[in-house]
Amino acid sequence: MKKKNKLILIESEMIGPRGHFLDNLIETTKNFEKKLDVYWIVNKRFNNEGTYLPKNIKIIKTIESNFFKRKINKIFYVFEEIFFFIKNFFWIVYFLILFSINGNFKLFLKALRSNYFILPRYFSSFYKQYKILKLSPNDNVFFQTARRKDIALVNFLIKIDKNHPKFHIRVMLPPKIKFKGFFYYLNLLKNEMINNKLFIYTWSTYNYNYFLKNSLTKKGIYKSNIPWSFHKRNSKNKNLVIGFMGDARKARGFHQLPKIIKILKKKKYNFNFIIQFSKVTDDLLKTKKELLDLSKKDKRIHIIEKYCDYKEFRNILKKIDIMPIIHSAKEINKITSGTMYSCISNEIAIVIPSGTSFMSEIMKYKSYEKAKNINDFAKKIIKISKNYNFYRRNVKQNSLILKKLLEKDPLRKYIT
């Protein structure tokens, strides 16, 4: 039996199951586990808290990161950074000796110079496991959600290892242009991008064009889609379910949900509602209370106030028929929307803000409506409900377009 190549999935900052990080790890694993040996290298403090994980995944908890966050504990964060700086000096001495013994002193010095004589933050906690895995040029290392610290690590690993594996970096948000920022390291690695040893995957057209503009080479930069699970939906003519899922944030329109529900109830449409959220900020506690009060008075309003793991999340999506996506169009076009992807792959009709262009190359069929304001969101939900099977048929077509697009996705092409 032919030995499989390795795929190393890395999430350096993920310490718990909440957010998209774990979900994306699982999704990528499911897409590649049949043809590659999949390993996860994650934060030393990672705890899945009993939520779903794929079977037979080799999880290595090794990466050290800040315990204190800058926004929450500024004083402790500063002291921790000072500690890391001092610790960094001792690690440099250690690795100088190690690479001298191995005859790779010049390679290490070159890598150190490229990082202004400071080790990348994750290097000392990561390198030992990297060596144990004995990766070849045919293997793949995939940074699922890359930050500046991640690409600094990639730059270092490439410079100290002539026979390094292929590196894949997914960028979710556009990096800032600054000294020793993301593009500083990216442009140091121009040759690796040209020679198909380093691949950058962006998610939106905005981000893709942003990278083309700020990179020294156009090669190695690809627009890619996140692999998603697909679900086929049957026809439905009554008791449609309106849904909201994910973080309770103003940017996602969570504070507008009570108003939409009240408008729809006032018009006496027989909708059911599923509202799922977990983390609520202080400024939205009033909204949360209002939603809970509404649910107590109306059994059709179902509130799920908890984190839902990979399987739970998808089981809830299967129950939702129409999803209002109440972000701003500007945010969706620039930062993208995982909710829109979930809705298309799960054949859910959507209402999106006017001005949204994200995923227009996929939404070729009329499976959506666009709304200008909250009252219009409610009107468009009603419009979809009156001719639901029309929108359902169209979202099936759009889901098929997405599925075919994913089959030819650069991620699938270059991770082999």
Side-chain angles (χ1 to χ4, degrees):
M1 186 175 178
K2 186 180 177 182
K3 186 180 179 182
K4 292 181 180 180
N5 291 333
K6 297 185 184 79
L7 171 60
I8 316 302
L9 302 180
I10 299 175
E11 272 295 355
S12 53
E13 296 286 335
M14 178 184 69
I15 59 175
R18 288 159 183 77
H20 294 295
F21 307 119
L22 180 58
D23 197 82
N24 288 341
L25 271 175
I26 295 170
E27 198 73 59
T28 304
T29 298
K30 287 185 173 292
N31 273 270
F32 291 102
E33 62 185 353
K34 289 182 180 178
K35 68 174 183 176
L36 298 168
D37 278 334
V38 182
Y39 296 76
W40 293 5
I41 296 184
V42 297
N43 198 284
K44 204 171 185 177
R45 294 181 285 132
F46 171 67
N47 181 357
N48 71 305
E49 299 176 13
T51 58
Y52 168 78
L53 292 176
K55 294 180 180 178
N56 303 319
I57 294 301
K58 307 162 191 81
I59 301 177
I60 303 167
K61 301 179 186 180
T62 187
I63 300 175
E64 292 182 0
S65 63
N66 287 79
F67 188 85
F68 299 102
K69 300 298 180 183
R70 184 186 303 176
K71 292 181 180 179
I72 302 171
N73 297 289
K74 291 182 181 179
I75 295 174
F76 289 108
Y77 176 83
V78 170
F79 279 113
E80 193 175 28
E81 285 290 296
I82 293 170
F83 169 74
F84 275 122
F85 182 80
I86 296 169
K87 191 177 178 181
N88 189 280
F89 173 77
F90 289 102
W91 275 117
I92 289 174
V93 174
Y94 169 81
F95 284 114
L96 280 169
I97 296 169
L98 178 66
F99 280 87
S100 296
I101 294 170
N102 294 338
N104 292 319
F105 177 79
K106 288 184 178 179
L107 290 177
F108 181 77
L109 199 61
K110 180 184 177 183
L112 198 61
R113 187 167 59 244
S114 73
N115 205 47
Y116 288 81
F117 296 95
I118 298 173
L119 285 176
R121 171 59 55 85
Y122 305 137
F123 181 77
S124 58
S125 58
F126 179 88
Y127 185 66
K128 182 180 179 182
Q129 293 297 332
Y130 177 81
K131 292 296 289 182
I132 289 172
L133 287 167
K134 296 180 180 179
L135 302 175
S136 77
N138 294 321
D139 294 321
N140 303 271
V141 178
F142 182 16
F143 289 79
Q144 292 251 130
T145 315
R147 304 162 182 81
R148 183 192 63 81
K149 293 175 184 177
D150 295 304
I151 195 169
L153 174 61
V154 171
N155 170 64
F156 213 88
L157 293 171
I158 284 175
K159 285 180 167 54
I160 62 173
D161 184 4
K162 289 183 178 180
N163 295 312
H164 63 79
K166 293 177 286 184
F167 287 97
H168 307 263
I169 297 176
R170 177 192 283 148
V171 184
M172 306 296 282
L173 302 175
K176 294 179 181 178
I177 306 295
K178 60 181 182 180
F179 172 70
K180 265 191 73 180
F182 196 97
F183 287 104
Y184 164 75
Y185 295 105
L186 186 67
N187 290 327
L188 289 178
L189 300 170
K190 179 181 73 172
N191 289 336
E192 280 69 25
M193 296 170 71
I194 292 171
N195 295 322
N196 288 333
K197 297 299 289 182
L198 173 64
F199 306 85
I200 304 295
Y201 306 99
T202 65
W203 195 17
S204 67
T205 301
Y206 175 91
N207 221 2
Y208 175 70
N209 291 331
Y210 182 75
F211 265 77
L212 291 180
K213 179 182 176 182
N214 291 291
S215 172
L216 291 179
T217 178
K218 311 306 176 191
K219 293 187 177 181
I221 300 171
Y222 303 94
K223 186 181 174 187
S224 172
N225 297 284
I226 293 177
W228 290 98
S229 302
F230 286 78
H231 169 66
K232 291 185 178 180
R233 188 172 298 272
N234 296 322
S235 61
K236 193 171 184 180
N237 295 313
K238 58 182 181 179
N239 297 326
L240 295 174
V241 178
I242 315 301
F244 176 96
M245 297 188 71
D247 288 344
R249 291 187 283 116
K250 275 196 172 182
R252 300 186 77 248
F254 182 77
H255 62 297
Q256 304 282 15
L257 290 174
K259 186 173 182 180
I260 290 178
I261 292 172
K262 288 175 182 177
I263 293 171
L264 294 174
K265 281 170 60 65
K266 189 176 181 181
K267 292 182 180 292
K268 297 182 179 178
Y269 279 85
N270 194 30
F271 294 125
N272 293 317
F273 299 88
I274 294 178
I275 312 294
Q276 181 273 325
F277 60 92
S278 54
K279 188 169 58 177
V280 181
T281 53
D282 290 344
D283 61 329
L284 291 172
L285 290 175
K286 185 178 178 182
T287 302
K288 172 187 165 180
K289 183 180 182 302
E290 195 172 357
L291 286 169
L292 291 172
D293 288 343
L294 285 168
S295 69
K296 289 174 184 176
K297 296 174 184 176
D298 190 339
K299 292 181 180 179
R300 295 176 300 170
I301 303 170
H302 185 39
I303 306 294
I304 304 172
E305 189 187 353
K306 68 166 190 169
Y307 168 78
C308 292
D309 69 13
Y310 181 87
K311 286 189 172 180
E312 289 177 311
F313 189 83
R314 281 151 184 78
N315 286 334
I316 294 171
L317 282 172
K318 292 174 184 178
K319 299 174 183 177
I320 294 172
D321 302 301
I322 304 172
M323 184 95 76
I325 300 173
I326 326 170
H327 308 196
S328 73
K330 185 178 179 181
E331 180 184 349
I332 292 173
N333 295 337
K334 184 176 180 178
I335 300 176
T336 71
S337 170
T339 307
M340 285 181 66
Y341 263 94
S342 295
C343 287
I344 291 176
S345 62
N346 284 272
E347 300 180 0
I348 300 171
I350 55 177
V351 183
I352 54 178
S354 296
T356 300
S357 59
F358 177 58
M359 294 193 77
S360 57
E361 73 278 15
I362 294 167
M363 296 196 298
K364 297 293 186 183
Y365 295 85
K366 186 71 171 176
S367 64
Y368 61 91
E369 288 293 336
K370 293 188 176 183
K372 297 177 181 178
N373 51 48
I374 293 305
N375 285 319
D376 203 22
F377 265 95
K379 288 179 183 177
K380 295 301 168 62
I381 288 171
I382 292 169
K383 182 178 180 180
I384 291 173
S385 72
K386 287 180 176 179
N387 197 8
Y388 177 72
N389 283 331
F390 166 79
Y391 291 92
R392 181 187 62 83
R393 286 193 298 271
N394 285 339
V395 78
K396 282 182 177 292
Q397 294 297 320
N398 290 335
S399 182
L400 188 61
I401 291 172
L402 178 58
K403 200 168 191 177
K404 288 181 178 179
L405 191 66
L406 286 171
E407 289 172 1
K408 300 175 182 178
D409 194 272
L411 264 175
R412 293 186 186 274
K413 181 179 178 180
Y414 294 113
I415 295 182
T416 57

